[in-house]
Amino acid sequence: MAHVPVFFPDCVVALGVPTDAGKTKWVASGFLYGVLSGKTDDQRDTYTVYLVTNRHVVNGIPRLTLRFNPRDGKPAREY
């Protein structure tokens, strides 16, 4: 079994789809994975961020809502 870095649980997101009633139905989860992709003109690191989940979760879904739970106890944010 691979070692999972301690910060990975902080990157977990809930994935939801819209319902006919105008609500969001939470159907799966995923996590964010960032890859260093270069530097800006002022030498700051830039990253490409990927959402990792199972293909069947997003296959054929035209709109997906992502829910992030902040660490500081504030309300979750949805995008």
Side-chain angles (χ1 to χ4, degrees):
M1 188 161 127
H3 174 71
V4 177
V6 295
F7 60 86
F8 270 26
D10 296 332
C11 302
V12 173
V13 297
L15 308 173
V17 294
T19 67
D20 292 336
K23 305 269 184 181
T24 300
K25 179 180 178 183
W26 303 106
V27 295
S29 63
F31 65 91
L32 300 179
Y33 181 74
V35 178
L36 184 63
S37 57
K39 297 238 182 227
T40 62
D41 290 340
D42 58 355
Q43 297 304 307
R44 288 184 291 160
D45 292 337
T46 59
Y47 292 85
T48 301
V49 179
Y50 298 93
L51 171 64
V52 181
T53 190
N54 290 303
R55 181 181 299 183
H56 73 271
V57 170
V58 295
N59 199 21
I61 296 177
R63 190 171 134 225
L64 192 63
T65 300
L66 304 179
R67 179 183 174 119
F68 295 84
N69 292 318
R71 299 173 97 183
D72 56 8
K74 292 182 182 174
R77 296 177 80 176
E78 296 177 8
Y79 298 90

